[in-house]
């Protein structure tokens, strides 16, 4: 409780100082660096994400200036969190225009089909796995370092946030595909979860060791309830067996965050309980304005809503945009809970508090 009050006072003080000294649109963070998969993919980071860019006006107009989501009908969670901090949309790492001053506010390394494991999503072709995304981040640092001194670089990284969203693909596009991957034959679900967490921890520490100090790490949502898994279950209901697999991973990720905070006091690591937040929406859809939670706006089986497909007209009433991804309306709720949520959503602090530390 004492920690909460201290963080609240720090938050209020920073808001006052920012407003007085830098103006109403000033951001409290230097940059946001996003690591993940198609949930926050900005396009350009692999062939699939570039192909899937939405052509439904006003979305998909510009990789740099417009909403970056390529697997939803507009803004992704990271877009919306950036807006709340007066940050510009993050350019994709592989975008040729992502150079110079365009990368100073951050970069999006997320790649469709990517996972914690290098093998995850290989059937989709080119993609940047977590380990490659970390290497890509180090390449970005080389570019930024050339324009500022070592001391300024250290301060810059300390005021930056790493947003990380991994794990879903390691199940959907690996463990749950025994015809293509042998992971389910080699590991029982708890063993696979621990295998993922060990690999995840190494890469988080790699980012910490190059200077990042603020980490916002999302757990895996109940992917057994996405339209793709409902169809696989052939019952129209959530695939409970899939959701049950995620317990060990999410509990382990929260424990990892506790350990990282204890062992690295100069950093702050936050766990976002996306499973509980999405579960709340699924259990109480009308409270959030949703009337359809078991079907996609673009049909049950589609990977994404391609330009040749006519989406549903009432998108704000749909939880899912396609067979795998949430709509912008859902992303807005997730972003709000990440930004201002209590400790049951974000532990030990929320995204807003993390930004102002």
């Amino acid at each position: 409780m004492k920690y909460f009050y201290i963080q609240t006072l720090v938050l209020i003080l920073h808001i006052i100082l920012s407003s007085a000294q830098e103006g109403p649109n000033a951001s409290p963070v230097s940059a946001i660096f996003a690591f993940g998969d198609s949930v926050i993919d900005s396009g350009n980071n692999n062939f699939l994400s570039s192909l899937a860019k939405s052509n439904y006006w006003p979305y998909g107009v510009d990789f740099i200036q417009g909403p970056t989501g390529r697997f939803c009908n507009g803004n992704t969670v990271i877009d919306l969190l950036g807006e709340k901090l007066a940050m510009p949309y993050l350019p994709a790492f592989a975008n040729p225009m992502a150079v110079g001053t365009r990368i100073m506010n951050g970069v999006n390394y997320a790649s469709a089909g990517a996972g914690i494991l290098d093998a995850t999503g290989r059937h989709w072709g080119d993609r940047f796995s977590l380990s490659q995304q970390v290497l890509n981040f180090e390449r970005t640092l080389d570019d930024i370092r050339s324009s500022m001194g070592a001391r300024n670089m250290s301060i810059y990284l300390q005021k930056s946030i790493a947003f990380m969203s991994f794990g879903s693909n390691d199940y959907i596009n690996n463990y749950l595909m025994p015809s293509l991957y042998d992971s389910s034959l080699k590991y029982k679900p708890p063993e696979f979860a621990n295998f993922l967490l060990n690999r995840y921890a190494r890469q988080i520490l790699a980012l910490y060791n190059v200077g990042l100090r603020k980490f916002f790490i999302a757990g895996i949502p109940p992917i057994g309830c996405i339209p793709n898994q409902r169809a696989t279950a052939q019952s129209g209901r959530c695939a409970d067996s899939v959701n049950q697999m995620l317990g060990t991973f999410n509990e382990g990720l929260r424990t990892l965050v506790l350990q990282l905070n204890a062992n690295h006091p100069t950093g702050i690591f936050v766990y976002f309980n996306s499973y509980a937040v999405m579960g709340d929406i699924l259990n109480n859809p009308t409270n959030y304005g949703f009337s359809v939670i078991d079907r996609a706006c673009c049909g049950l089986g589609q990977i994404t809503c391609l330009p040749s497909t006519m989406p549903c007209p009432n998108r704000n009433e749909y939880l899912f945009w396609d067979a795998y991804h949430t709509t912008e309306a859902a992303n807005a709720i997730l972003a709000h809970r990440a930004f201002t949520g209590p400790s049951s959503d974000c532990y030990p602090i929320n995204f807003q508090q993390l930004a102002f530390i």
Side-chain angles (χ1 to χ4, degrees), residues 3 96 141 182 271 280 317 325 335:
Y3 182 81
L141 290 192
D182 64 357
Y271 171 68
D280 187 27
E317 297 178 17
H325 308 98

Side-chain angles (χ1 to χ4, degrees), residues 31-35 93 103 106-110 128-145 153 156-158 160-164 203-215:
I32 298 176
F33 297 102
F35 305 84
F93 168 78
I103 64 175
V107 175
N108 191 328
Y109 303 93
F128 293 146
S129 65
L130 170 59
S131 62
Q132 184 60 53
Q133 290 182 36
V134 172
L135 292 176
N136 291 343
F137 170 72
E138 292 176 357
R139 287 178 57 185
T140 298
L141 290 192
D142 289 339
D143 293 338
I144 296 176
R145 190 176 289 113
M153 186 69 176
Y156 169 83
L157 290 174
Q158 289 172 15
S160 299
I161 294 178
F163 181 96
M164 310 191 74
Q203 299 302 331
I204 292 171
L205 287 175
L207 294 172
Y208 177 88
N209 289 334
V210 296
L212 287 173
R213 290 296 179 266
K214 299 181 182 184
F215 294 81

Side-chain angles (χ1 to χ4, degrees), residues 99-310:
V99 294
T101 58
R102 290 185 182 274
I103 64 175
M104 294 304 295
N105 292 117
V107 175
N108 191 328
Y109 303 93
S111 180
I116 295 170
L117 304 180
D118 290 340
T120 291
R122 67 188 174 202
H123 60 288
W124 291 121
D126 293 339
R127 73 215 175 283
F128 293 146
S129 65
L130 170 59
S131 62
Q132 184 60 53
Q133 290 182 36
V134 172
L135 292 176
N136 291 343
F137 170 72
E138 292 176 357
R139 287 178 57 185
T140 298
L141 290 192
D142 289 339
D143 293 338
I144 296 176
R145 190 176 289 113
S146 63
S147 63
M148 62 174 68
R151 182 177 180 279
N152 290 337
M153 186 69 176
S154 177
I155 296 173
Y156 169 83
L157 290 174
Q158 289 172 15
K159 291 183 62 180
S160 299
I161 294 178
F163 181 96
M164 310 191 74
S165 178
F166 278 100
S168 295
N169 271 336
D170 293 289
Y171 287 92
I172 298 172
N173 289 306
N174 188 326
Y175 196 77
L176 297 174
M177 301 185 74
S179 62
L180 297 178
Y181 301 89
D182 64 357
S183 53
S184 62
L185 303 177
K186 295 170 61 176
Y187 304 101
K188 294 180 179 179
E191 296 170 340
F192 185 65
N194 289 327
F195 179 59
L196 292 178
L197 289 166
N198 287 334
R199 298 300 187 277
Y200 206 177
R202 292 180 190 176
Q203 299 302 331
I204 292 171
L205 287 175
L207 294 172
Y208 177 88
N209 289 334
V210 296
L212 287 173
R213 290 296 179 266
K214 299 181 182 184
F215 294 81
F216 193 85
I217 307 170
I220 302 178
I223 57 176
C225 295
I226 64 175
N228 165 267
Q229 290 300 305
R230 288 179 187 265
T232 301
Q234 297 182 341
S235 65
R237 299 174 60 86
C238 294
D240 292 335
S241 60
V242 173
N243 288 337
Q244 289 169 5
M245 289 182 187
L246 310 179
T248 303
F249 180 89
N250 283 332
E251 291 169 9
L253 187 59
R254 190 178 189 279
T255 299
L256 175 61
V257 164
L258 288 171
Q259 294 171 346
L260 289 169
N261 280 317
N263 297 333
H264 301 85
T266 61
I268 179 68
F269 303 81
V270 176
Y271 171 68
F272 178 47
N273 191 357
S274 55
Y275 189 99
V277 176
M278 274 294 291
D280 187 27
I281 298 172
L282 286 162
N283 291 327
N284 305 285
T286 57
N287 292 349
Y288 296 95
F290 297 115
S291 59
V292 183
I293 63 171
D294 59 349
R295 302 188 310 278
C297 181
C298 283
L300 188 62
Q302 292 185 216
I303 297 171
T304 189
C305 198
L306 295 171
S308 60
T309 305
M310 181 61 67

